Every structure is written in C-alpha cells, then in structure tokens.
Amino acid sequence: MAGQEDQAPLAGIRIVAIAQGVAAAYAARLLATMGARVLLVEPAGGSPLRREPPFLPGPSGEETEVSALFAYLAAGMDSAVIDLASSSGREALDRHLAEADIFFDDTPPDERAAVALDEAGIAARFPRLLHVSVLPFGAQGDKAGWKGADLIVQHAGGEGNLLPNGLAVEMFPGRAPLKIGGHFGEMQGGIAAALGALSALWARPEAGGQAVDISSQDAMLAVGAFAIQRLGDGSVEHRVERSFRYGGVIPCADGHLELLTLEQRQWDGLVRLLGSPDWATDPALASSIERGRRGPEINRHIREWASVRRVDDIVAEGQKLGVPLARYKSPAEILSGEQEAHRGLFQSIDMGGAGLLDVLVSPFHFGGAALSLRSGPPALTEMLEVTP
C-alpha cells in the first residue's frame, strides 16, 4: 500500500481540516483518497461527527461507539485534539498550517477572529496556504452565520421541494416534500470544496495562496440547475410534473429498473425491446414531441409489459439494443457486485471496535488503477506536541 501512496496523484500534499460537519470532512476525505495526508483537528471530546448515529455493530453483533458516518468520512486521516481557545493550542495549529498546502475549515464566521482563523489573518501568516471555507451558506452575505444541517441545505437549495417525483409521487400523491436520504446536500458542498481546493492548488504556482469560499446551498442550486433554467423559461417546476414524460422508475416482477430514452435511436431500441407492439409502432410516436405528450399512456404500456418480467433479463436485452436502463440495486447487491469489485470500489479496512469492514474508497481511477485508503478512522488522541 505504501507504494500505491507514493504514486497517488496528491502524494506529498498535506491538508489540515477543522470539520465539525459533513461538508468539510467529505472534502478532505475525497483528497485523502487521492493520496493527500490529512490531519483532522478535533476539540476536546472529539468531533461531533464521532457521535453521529447510526453506530456500527461489532464483529459479534454487539453495539459499538463507532459512528458509521465518522468512520467513512475520517478513514485514512490522522487526528489531533487541539484546544483553539488557548494560545498554546493556536500555536500548535499554526505549526501544522505552516507545513500544510490546504486548510479546510467550517468554523462559524463570527467565531473565526477569536481563534485567529479569519481570512485576512490566515493569508498574512501563511501566504502560500489554500484556505477553503466550507459552510452551509458560505462565509459572506446576509446568511453567512446561519446554521444548516442537511435537511436545511437541501430545501434551501430548492431540491427538497421537488421530492418525491416520478413513480414515487404517483404512488403517494399527498406526501409532503422530502429530503434525499443521508447527507446529500452537505456532500455536494464537500465536492465543491474539493474541486475548489484542487483548482487553487493547480493555480498556486502563479497565484500563490488563495481563499476559497464554498456554500453548500450554492452547490445544491447547481445540482438543481434544470429547475432554475425552466424558471427562466417561465415555468415553475413542481414535483408532480418533475419527471421525464415516459420511462423513469419501472416496477418489474422481481424489483425495479430505471429507464431513460432521450434520443431517437434509444426509443427505437426500446420499441424492439418491447417486441414492436402495435401501439409503439404508431407513426405518430416517431415524433419526440408526441411521445412527450402521450407519456402517461406509454408508461402504462411499459409498466404492464415489465410487470411480468425479471429485471436482469430486461437489462441484459435492453443493453444489447442500446437502451439506457439499469437495475435499482440494494446496498447488499452493490457490495457483492462484479462491476464494483472490478473497479476496486470497496476496500477491507479495520474500523476499530467494529472490526474489518468493506469501505467505499473513491470513484476516481488514475492510470487505470483504483485508489486505496491508508487506514480506518483515527483514534481520538491527545494534543500533538510538535517541535518548532
């Protein structure tokens, strides 16, 4: 594994992260899998993420204190407990920052000056450091000080109001707006922060150190850009209407698949997959506009046809015909999937009290090879003493 670390794209890059929330931690995690060395700075008692449920079971099924979320986000990192309220703690952090290339920070804006983490102070002390602020609403503007867990981020970004849609809203038309499960909105902020850090790192030889301000709400707005685009066209998108006119989630005899045909050749392949029934070969349906208009009718036919067939049979034949479709997989199916194994998507890691578990590594491949994690999540340690 050491050889792989030396050849990783970010080998030699050092990162310090103050990450009380998911977005900053996920940004650091993405770069850690690319070979960067990450030091997670934690307060006394550890990061709040360590106490976030659910908790992983032990090897014998017993309950542990290992947070599944923290174990995933902090895998491969080092940790140091540093009291930023003390002058000695701030001095210790400065020593780490002096050796770092990137600093991820989600300290609330109104608390930064008191612990010497304000943008101007960081820039003055560390002119080559890439200072990446990661907050729910950014570090500037009227809402910079607002708190926002994932539920808030998703709804503030407009996406929550458009969920559920498609088959789900057909089945449960009276259901209130939902959120995507997990920490989708915060992770979008983390992705934007990682990309911002990489862009600043690429430009550093010419531009020097830079401050990057990331808002998870902004990142969610980017995800829902299609709804904003439609608003510019004079159409207010609603979850009842937010679906492709035909296709989407299709119930089958043994599960569900996702079907999406945007191009004429894909529609032609779908017609052949369905056995070229009379309704599908209607000359009027050669027009994509007419297919959109008659979407509910088309879906009734597709769902009736699929309801007595197995998902894998439909997918295998559909892929041969150039139809974009795939099975909706359960987590267990993903963990045991041949494609996922071939891609090296999971790695067996020691998760402390939870034992050896398969952990999602990274969606990136470099040079045709999968990346790897250095270790599981770090144990909670006392303050690191660093010799000046």
Side-chain angles (χ1 to χ4, degrees):
M1 189 178 295
Q4 289 180 318
E5 285 182 36
D6 294 340
Q7 298 173 20
L10 293 185
I13 297 297
R14 299 182 68 88
I15 296 173
V16 173
I18 295 178
Q20 306 295 309
V22 170
Y26 189 51
R29 164 61 146 81
L30 288 171
L31 301 193
T33 61
M34 296 170 67
R37 194 70 181 249
V38 178
L39 176 69
L40 179 65
V41 174
E42 303 188 66
S47 166
L49 295 170
R50 290 183 180 270
R51 299 181 287 278
E52 186 79 18
F55 297 95
L56 294 171
S60 302
E62 71 277 12
E63 184 176 344
T64 73
E65 296 182 353
V66 181
S67 163
L69 179 64
F70 179 80
Y72 168 72
L73 291 172
M77 297 183 187
D78 300 314
S79 168
V81 174
I82 298 179
D83 179 12
L84 296 180
S86 69
S87 58
S88 61
R90 293 192 294 275
E91 290 172 2
L93 177 61
D94 272 8
R95 290 195 288 271
H96 290 297
L97 291 177
E99 298 178 350
D101 299 284
I102 299 168
F103 174 40
F104 290 113
D105 183 23
D106 63 3
T107 303
D110 59 356
E111 298 176 15
R112 290 182 176 182
V115 290
L117 294 180
D118 56 291
E119 181 180 319
I122 291 290
R125 298 197 308 279
F126 310 105
R128 297 283 293 169
L129 184 65
L130 306 175
H131 179 195
V132 184
S133 169
V134 193
L135 294 165
F137 296 92
Q140 302 177 38
D142 295 341
K143 299 176 184 176
W146 284 23
K147 300 183 184 299
D150 194 70
L151 175 67
I152 304 302
V153 169
Q154 287 194 32
H155 281 281
E159 191 71 9
N161 188 55
L162 296 171
L163 297 171
N165 52 61
L167 177 64
V169 81
E170 289 180 35
M171 295 172 65
F172 307 102
R175 180 176 283 176
L178 302 176
K179 70 178 283 293
I180 301 169
H183 298 265
F184 182 84
E186 293 169 295
M187 285 185 166
Q188 295 308 307
I191 293 170
L195 290 172
L198 288 173
S199 299
L201 184 64
W202 177 73
R204 188 170 63 168
E206 291 77 29
Q210 296 188 65
V212 181
D213 181 13
I214 298 296
S215 159
S216 293
Q217 182 201 22
D218 291 356
M220 277 301 302
L221 283 167
V223 171
F226 184 65
I228 303 299
Q229 176 187 340
R230 292 195 66 196
L231 181 64
D233 295 335
S235 174
V236 178
E237 194 167 21
H238 189 276
R239 61 183 179 273
V240 173
E241 302 166 348
R242 194 199 202 199
S243 63
F244 292 101
R245 295 295 178 248
Y246 59 93
V249 181
I250 304 297
C252 304
D254 62 343
H256 294 78
L257 60 79
E258 175 81 11
L259 167 68
L260 179 60
T261 57
L262 295 176
E263 301 175 20
Q264 184 63 42
R265 62 180 178 84
Q266 296 166 349
W267 166 256
D268 293 340
L270 176 60
V271 171
R272 292 196 298 274
L273 175 65
L274 296 171
S276 300
D278 291 343
W279 68 263
T281 55
D282 180 347
L285 292 181
S287 164
S288 61
I289 296 175
E290 181 65 11
R291 293 199 296 271
R293 189 183 69 81
R294 292 167 58 178
E297 172 193 336
I298 293 173
N299 259 3
R300 284 195 298 273
H301 287 296
I302 294 174
R303 290 173 183 173
E304 181 181 359
W305 174 86
S307 66
V308 295
R309 288 169 170 81
R310 297 175 62 251
V311 174
D312 289 343
D313 294 340
I314 297 174
V315 170
E317 188 59 30
Q319 289 288 338
K320 294 177 184 177
L321 295 170
V323 183
L325 76 177
R327 168 187 280 275
Y328 261 88
K329 287 189 172 183
S330 68
E333 288 172 325
I334 291 172
L335 280 168
S336 61
E338 293 181 4
Q339 174 68 12
E340 291 78 5
H342 179 80
R343 295 281 299 175
L345 197 56
F346 297 94
Q347 180 182 337
S348 185
I349 293 289
D350 186 352
M351 294 306 229
L356 284 173
L357 293 174
D358 288 336
V359 181
L360 182 67
V361 180
S362 173
F364 315 119
H365 276 203
F366 290 88
L371 297 174
S372 63
L373 293 166
R374 293 175 49 244
S375 62
L380 191 62
T381 62
E382 295 301 320
M383 175 175 166
L384 286 181
E385 294 295 335
V386 180
T387 303

